[in-house]
């Protein structure tokens, strides 16, 4: 069994049930941490999640800005897989994420200082590569 992620009648992704539900639960947790909406509507039909393209794109933009601006490698590792997957959905919806080409200043909420000093910020190119890798594994 699988579930569709849709905008209108267009299916953007059709993962297995477990992957779909984990994606939505992860989106909810990340949105709560950032104080924003996911743009993923509650399921009214048992096997479909509907996406509000404007809200979802804004949500993903917030995550990309947090990732790129973060100097905490563990924070970045916790959000990068989800964000790469979400970037594929945004791209399939015909939207762009401004933060990938116009990064924000550093985000100092969470930092990691190790034996070599302050950790480096996130890398937009890494997210682009992960997005491409995810796209190859995301049926629709």
């Amino acid at each position: 069994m699988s579930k569709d992620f849709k905008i209108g009648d267009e299916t953007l992704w059709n993962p297995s049930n477990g992957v779909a539900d984990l994606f939505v639960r992860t989106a909810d947790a990340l949105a709560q941490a950032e104080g924003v909406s996911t743009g993923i509507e509650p399921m009214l039909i048992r096997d479909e999640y509907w996406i509000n393209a404007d809200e979802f794109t804004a949500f993903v933009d917030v995550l990309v800005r947090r990732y790129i601006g973060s100097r905490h490698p563990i924070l970045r590792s916790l959000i990068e897989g989800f964000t790469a997957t979400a970037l594929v959905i945004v791209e399939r919806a015909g939207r762009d994420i401004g933060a990938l080409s116009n990064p924000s200043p550093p985000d100092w909420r969470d930092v990691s200082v190790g034996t070599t000093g302050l950790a480096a910020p996130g890398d937009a190119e890494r997210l682009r590569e992960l997005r491409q890798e995810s796209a190859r594994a995301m049926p629709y």
Side-chain angles (χ1 to χ4, degrees):
M1 296 288 301
S2 61
K3 295 181 181 176
D4 290 333
F5 286 82
K6 301 177 88 165
I7 292 179
D9 291 332
E10 183 179 3
T11 298
L12 304 175
W13 185 30
N14 179 252
S16 65
N17 288 343
V19 171
D21 293 340
L22 181 58
F23 181 83
V24 172
R25 287 185 188 109
T26 303
D28 289 341
L30 291 169
Q32 183 177 10
E34 294 298 323
V36 297
S37 169
T38 65
I40 302 171
E41 304 293 330
M43 281 194 312
L44 298 176
I45 298 174
R46 193 170 60 97
D47 61 352
E48 292 181 355
Y49 285 106
W50 294 328
I51 295 176
N52 176 309
D54 292 335
E55 286 183 24
F56 188 74
T57 300
F59 166 55
V60 176
D61 191 76
V62 165
L63 294 178
V64 170
R65 288 185 191 286
R66 182 81 190 265
Y67 178 88
I68 292 172
S70 174
R71 290 185 173 264
H72 200 294
I74 302 303
L75 175 75
R76 289 194 313 267
S77 74
L78 289 169
I79 66 173
E80 77 178 4
F82 173 87
T83 303
T85 303
L87 283 168
V88 175
I89 295 171
V90 168
E91 184 177 75
R92 289 178 181 174
R95 304 296 179 100
D96 293 315
I97 297 297
L100 281 174
S101 56
N102 185 20
S104 297
D107 183 336
W108 298 107
R109 288 180 282 179
D110 297 292
V111 297
S112 179
V113 180
T115 57
T116 59
L118 189 63
D123 180 12
E125 188 56 35
R126 175 163 172 75
L127 278 180
R128 286 185 192 97
E129 290 169 4
L130 290 169
R131 176 194 64 204
Q132 290 174 333
E133 194 176 300
S134 293
R136 290 189 292 271
M138 291 174 65
Y140 66 110

